[in-house]
Amino acid sequence: MAEYNRVSECVGLITLRNPPVNALSAAVRQGIVDTVQRALSDPNVKSVVICGQNGIFCGGADIKEFGSNMTGPPLIPMIHAIESANKPVVAAIEGSALGGGLELALGCHYRIAHSKARLGLPEVSLGLLPAAGGSQRLPRLIGVPAALNLITTGRHVTAAEALQLGIVDQVTDHNTVAAAVKFALSVAGRSLDPRRISTHPCPQQPDLDALFEEVMQKVRQSARGAIAPIACVQAVRAAATLPYAQGMERERELMATLFTSGQARALQYCFFAERAVGRWRMPSGARWDTSKPRPVHKAAVIGLGTMGRGITVALAQTGLSVIAVETQEKQLMEAKQAISGMLERGAKRRGVAPALDGVIYSQNIQAVADVDLVIEAVFEDIALKTKVFQQLSAVCKPGTLLCTNTSALDVDQLASETPNPELVVGMHFFAPAHVMKLLEVVYGPRSSPQAVATAMQLGKKMGKASVAVGNCRGFVGNRMLKPYIEEAFFLLEEGATPELVDQALEEFGFPMGVFRMSDLSGLDVGWRVRKGDGLVEPGTASGRSARIRQGRRYSPLGDLLCEEGHFGQKTGRGWYQYDKPGSRVARFDPWLHSFLGAYRAQHGLVARRIDHQEVLERCLYALINEGFHILDDGIAAGPEDIDVIYVSGYGWPRHRGGPMFYANMVGLAKVLERLEHYQQLHPEVPHLQPSSLLRRLVASGSPPIHKWGEAIKKLHSQL
Ligand SMILES: CCCCCCC/C=C/C(=O)SCCNC(=O)CCNC(=O)[C@H](O)C(C)(C)COP(=O)(O)OP(=O)(O)OC[C@H]1O[C@@H](n2cnc3c(N)ncnc32)[C@H](O)[C@@H]1OP(=O)(O)O
């Protein structure tokens, strides 16, 4: 709702009240309509200020209302009524003015912002466009190129940038409402015509067609199939080329298509899923709201390879003191140089001073004696990690949290090697650790809730999407990746090419298909793991039996390439060829195609035609099926956890909402039917065997994704 007061005798002050972000719910919109009407009809009121309670102007339309029948006064006439008012209306912007919140402010005649405020039109990230006049007013106010940039990226700008762009009229370091009231008094009685943005033409722009063509091309490339960014460009084009009323009509038409789209549902689901994962819970019953994190002021990183360096940077950038330990002097010096460079570049990008002094380098593990938390990032070898953990247990002060950065090793086994297993958790970072958003916080059966809470809070401070997951081989992300990659290998055996598989996945929206990704990360990584698992054998045997290992179908294709020294980009050869080692442009490799032909001949395989649909079904449904196993095993608390992991760490297209949301959209019965179909064709592939949770959900009528949690709980209690 909105509260009305008269201040300084002749200023009507309207305060939006809808915690936590003053979203424009039906009640708030009604409140604004009523209070504006009251202010305008009060002869004692000469001007009006609109602000938000608790230091935040407005977080935009209430996203929760989008899925329901919207009631209450619509935004557009409400904003028009403000713009056409005959008394000056000033927006006092503290905290955030986002989406509908900024659109409301653009309807006001003046905008005063606090220096710490952030403004933006992030609707595109929810699968929408600024459809309360924002796509038409912003270009008129700041020009087409700047408006295109803000609207198509959804980025938030600082108050300083907003002032420079002309979005706000004044920035204050002091009380924003007081500044806005003073300003409102100073402009009372002035002509408002020049302040009504909808009446302005868009600032002239040379070569408008060329500009829109260039932007549209760029947006199509980066959108990876998302429709909202394209609609945003079309809406701004309408602002630049049509009178305001027609532009508004175009904005309405474009929004009507987006509003009910599956992509908008997926993106809005992601918004809430990212917040839901912060409310973590463990099978023991421990939860985010009953577990208090320990304060972490000083942290240490052990092992300064690629991961350790990235983790050090991520920690230092959050303002922590970091002890960075590497036992070999040469490596330590190299790491110091690399870390300093990363910190300097990061600081330059963010316009702050680099936190170089925040990192102390040492060759001696004793240097970590007084830290609050250690992240071990040594080579992925259980014996080495165990040794480091034993050393840490002896050196660190009591209560220090011991975290291991591992992508696959058993966190519980490591914990059991320390005297205080409750202080041990996994922190699975993704390379480069200072850039990638995802962090899996892995708890073992003995990790204390406080340890999990501390790691989760630290992840949040580092700006990560932190997801608490149980301990199992590959945790959540890599465990689901395994069947996905294996299906891609099987498809090659059956007649597909790396190009075909990658094209299908990239058209689906992944930034890279599975083979281009494998070339980038290095084929030797999986080879080492498969060797460790005893799966790799000399490649001379032929026939079906040579492709059954440990009782299940196995494709040795990746091993055979590694035996040839084809490790991907770093060697210049992999599933593709590259101009030189380290080069990034993947080219068709005729050798690889002859190799595949010879391999099929050797094993009596006859290549058949495989289409994109089969690639997607086999790779994605195998991955999704593993997700259902993970939910059933209690490794992830809910589908949102899995989806956030895939969207933030594995390139799953956000506009498809994550694998479990996608399964929900496709229909669980359809996913089950296709898995059963492929399982019949490939009975020697266990990961195509539909999970019992999927079967049970389908049997109970395929509840919508937000009800899976209840269904899983109920089903577990019946077991
Ligand atoms: C045909 C219909 C025509 C309609 C035209 C509509 C045109 C306008 C469209 C829009 O305005 S869409 C919304 C645009 N706004 C946003 O995208 C902003 C989203 N919010 C944020 O970015 C952040 O929440 C924040 C405002 C920067 C605050 O960040 P902070 O880290 O402080 O808090 P959070 O944890 O993110 O949020 C707290 C709490 O509030 C919920 N919430 C936030 N914004 C909204 C919102 N716009 N609507 C509903 N709820 C919102 C958020 O979900 C959190 O709650 P929980 O999920 O934790 O319960």
Side-chain angles (χ1 to χ4, degrees), residues 90-105:
V90 182
I93 300 172
E94 293 174 308
S96 302
L98 298 172
L102 180 54
E103 292 179 289
L104 166 66

Side-chain angles (χ1 to χ4, degrees), residues 22 25 157 174 177 225 250 280 301 378 389 428 501 576 586 598 634 636 715:
N22 300 322
S25 64
V157 298
H174 307 289
V177 176
R250 185 79 180 116
W280 56 270
V301 179
V378 301
F389 263 62
H428 179 201
V501 173
Y576 296 90
L715 295 166

Side-chain angles (χ1 to χ4, degrees), residues 20-21 23 56 59-64 66 70 75 96 98-101 103 122-123 125-126 128-132 156 255 259 271-272 275-276 279:
V21 301
I56 174 160
D62 187 339
I63 306 164
K64 289 190 184 106
F66 289 167
M70 288 182 76
L75 270 177
S96 302
L98 298 172
E103 292 179 289
E123 286 89 338
S125 57
L126 299 168
L128 305 174
L129 61 84
H156 302 181
M255 179 64 157
F259 198 69
F271 176 84
F272 290 114
R275 281 144 185 91
R279 298 188 283 272

Side-chain angles (χ1 to χ4, degrees), residues 83-282:
E83 191 185 57
S84 53
N86 55 5
K87 299 176 185 177
V89 184
V90 182
I93 300 172
E94 293 174 308
S96 302
L98 298 172
L102 180 54
E103 292 179 289
L104 166 66
L106 292 175
C108 298
H109 305 109
Y110 299 93
R111 288 155 293 280
I112 311 293
H114 189 268
S115 53
K116 295 218 166 96
R118 298 226 149 211
L119 299 89
L121 293 175
E123 286 89 338
V124 68
S125 57
L126 299 168
L128 305 174
L129 61 84
S135 75
Q136 303 304 300
R137 282 196 180 88
L138 194 65
R140 286 177 160 78
L141 183 64
I142 65 172
V144 170
L148 271 172
N149 173 271
L150 258 61
I151 292 173
T152 58
T153 62
R155 77 184 176 91
H156 302 181
V157 298
T158 60
E161 189 178 349
L163 183 65
Q164 196 197 356
L165 287 169
I167 300 175
V168 298
D169 302 288
Q170 201 180 85
V171 172
T172 176
D173 283 326
H174 307 289
N175 185 317
T176 316
V177 176
V181 168
K182 190 168 162 209
F183 188 91
L185 286 168
S186 75
V187 293
R190 281 203 206 157
S191 162
L192 291 172
D193 286 344
R195 306 300 310 175
R196 297 188 175 109
I197 299 171
S198 73
T199 63
H200 301 183
C202 259
Q204 287 287 319
Q205 177 68 39
D207 283 335
L208 208 56
D209 285 341
L211 171 74
F212 276 105
E213 210 167 294
E214 188 193 323
V215 171
M216 188 58 107
Q217 213 176 343
K218 226 163 92 189
V219 163
R220 273 192 209 284
Q221 252 168 23
S222 59
R224 295 197 268 136
I227 54 174
I230 291 160
C232 285
V233 178
Q234 290 168 329
V236 176
R237 191 182 180 105
T241 54
L242 297 174
Y244 175 74
Q246 284 175 39
M248 284 300 285
E249 181 50 24
R250 185 79 180 116
E251 183 190 89
R252 191 196 61 73
E253 282 166 11
L254 290 163
M255 179 64 157
T257 309
L258 296 180
F259 198 69
T260 49
S261 68
Q263 294 198 2
R265 273 175 64 194
L267 288 160
Q268 289 158 30
Y269 163 83
C270 285
F271 176 84
F272 290 114
E274 279 164 358
R275 281 144 185 91
V277 297
R279 298 188 283 272
W280 56 270
R281 57 190 192 278
M282 289 159 66

Side-chain angles (χ1 to χ4, degrees), residues 5 17 54 62 77 253 293 317 370 453 478 521 538 540 654 714:
N5 288 292
R17 292 197 183 280
N54 293 337
D62 187 339
E253 282 166 11
Q317 282 178 344
D370 67 340
N478 286 348
S521 49
T540 46
R654 193 178 169 88
K714 209 157 81 199

